[in-house]
Amino acid sequence: MKVVVIGGTGLIGSKVVRKLAEHGHEAVPASPNTGVNTLTGEGVAEALRGAQVVVDVSNSPSFADDDVMEFFRTSTRNLLRAEKEAGVAHHVALSVVGTDRLQESGYFRAKQVQEELIKASGIPYSIVHATQFFEFMKGIADSATRGDTVRLAPVGIQPVHSDDVAATVGAGAVGTPVNGVVEVAGPDTFRLDELISERLTAGNDPRTVVADPTSPYFGARLRETTLLPGPDARIGTTRFADWAARQQ
């Protein structure tokens, strides 16, 4: 099976490519540095020629509200149009658990538009909703930092290892389209502010974490369960503590 992985040179995409190749599939990494740009359309048609499946794990280079909306709206439209012309039979996209609950955030509004375009395209699809990756904890801290203080809502979070996300995406790519959403999360639930505080301490980061229920998460206010998956989520095998121990 030929599977084109848009964003195939990034953190998740490179792992998806490797896992698919290990199982004997022709996995083609596609990104601007391989000559494929879904925002401009450059190289897309050529990359999709002969492909049965397209996996989109790409992300916007800018998280500014207008930029991220332009990226996901334009790149998704370009990609879906090229897929129809190429006869692609399955579109797989990576999104985020809680996207529909985080619509105060410009980033998540853009992700919601991406998902709506996919659902309306007529192409069989599978959307994987992942909780935040272990590797993104510092990014969460940085986004909530003012001076030396990190203000985070004391809510639940169930982060997942990137390997487990890639495995779920890869399995979805070679499986039957679900025409819906599959969730994947890690095996352990934490309180967001406490988890980030532990990670900063482990990294000798001097910032202080303050629990603030009103603090926004990338522009969106959180409730206790906003970032948590539903009861039918697939659960990854990598525990956060084991991953963190390897980072020392």
Side-chain angles (χ1 to χ4, degrees), residues 198-204 240-248:
E198 290 175 8
R199 290 305 303 149
L200 294 182
T201 298
N204 296 314
F240 188 87
D242 296 334
W243 172 83
R246 297 196 294 269
Q247 310 309 306
Q248 304 301 321

Side-chain angles (χ1 to χ4, degrees), residues 97-98 101 131 155-158 183 189-190 224-230:
V97 163
R101 302 188 291 269
T131 54
V155 300
I157 188 170
Q158 198 170 329
E183 291 188 324
T189 302
F190 303 90
E224 174 57 35
T225 60
T226 301
L227 303 178
L228 297 178

Side-chain angles (χ1 to χ4, degrees), residues 5 39 55 57 64 74 85 97 101 109 133 154 171-172 183-185 194 221 243:
V5 182
L39 192 58
V55 173
V57 295
T74 302
E85 293 173 355
V97 163
R101 302 188 291 269
R109 286 196 298 273
F133 313 146
E183 291 188 324
V184 59
E194 294 176 345
R221 287 169 291 184
W243 172 83

